[in-house]
Amino acid sequence: MSGILTARHWRGRRYLISPAADFLVAGGLPLLVFGAMFLLFPAGDEALMNNRILHVSAMFAILAYFVNDPHFMASYQIMYGGFRGKLRRYRDENRRLWRKYIFAGLIVPAVIIGYYLVALITQRESLFAHTILAMYFFVGWH
């Protein structure tokens, strides 16, 4: 059992830290935290529960900004730095990677912008609420 917690090699595979730590850092910990939060919320007074959910949501939004903003800024520089050159090079050398760059760098942002435009034009609050929930899920999972 100690190997799963501390070994950089376990069952013939390499890990950054250990199998357990890699799982937790790569998205397992948010699932455990969210599961614990749902178990800890009181199941009674609906107003009290909604108030606690709002406080926890605000806390996670603030933490998400401070923790993830530097990470995403570095990721954007890696992704879009020399983007056209990467597309030209990968178009000839590695079509699979070229398709990934097209999808992640152009199609996904276009879909997200389109979604926000629809939400703004229709003024539907539920569409904005879904973006916040999606951000919690994807940032937490990431």
Side-chain angles (χ1 to χ4, degrees):
M1 182 66 173
S2 66
I4 197 169
L5 299 175
T6 59
R8 292 181 69 103
H9 291 77
W10 190 65
R11 292 190 176 181
R13 294 187 63 194
R14 291 182 51 135
Y15 292 92
L16 291 175
I17 300 169
S18 74
D22 287 5
F23 167 76
L24 293 173
V25 173
L29 185 60
L31 293 177
L32 298 175
V33 169
F34 286 129
M37 286 173 44
F38 282 111
L39 292 174
L40 295 174
F41 280 130
D45 185 6
E46 189 173 329
L48 176 63
M49 185 171 161
N50 287 337
N51 192 28
R52 287 186 180 177
I53 290 172
L54 288 174
H55 285 278
V56 170
S57 296
M59 179 186 70
F60 269 94
I62 292 167
L63 286 174
Y65 176 78
F66 284 107
V67 170
N68 292 305
D69 189 55
H71 166 74
F72 287 122
M73 290 298 105
S75 297
Y76 290 140
Q77 289 175 345
I78 291 169
M79 176 70 173
Y80 292 109
F83 189 72
R84 287 183 184 165
K86 289 176 187 175
L87 287 180
R88 271 189 241 110
R89 186 174 69 239
Y90 294 140
R91 182 183 59 225
D92 299 330
E93 295 174 10
N94 189 338
R95 291 294 278 190
R96 185 169 168 246
L97 192 56
W98 179 80
R99 284 190 294 272
K100 285 183 177 183
Y101 264 81
I102 293 291
F103 184 75
L106 299 175
I107 294 173
V108 170
V111 168
I112 292 171
I113 290 168
Y115 184 91
Y116 275 111
L117 285 174
V118 169
L120 282 169
I121 291 168
T122 62
Q123 295 292 304
R124 290 180 47 201
E125 291 177 10
S126 63
L127 293 178
F128 288 107
H130 290 301
T131 64
I132 293 168
L133 294 173
M135 189 258 324
Y136 287 150
F137 175 78
F138 289 116
V139 169
W141 184 258
H142 170 75

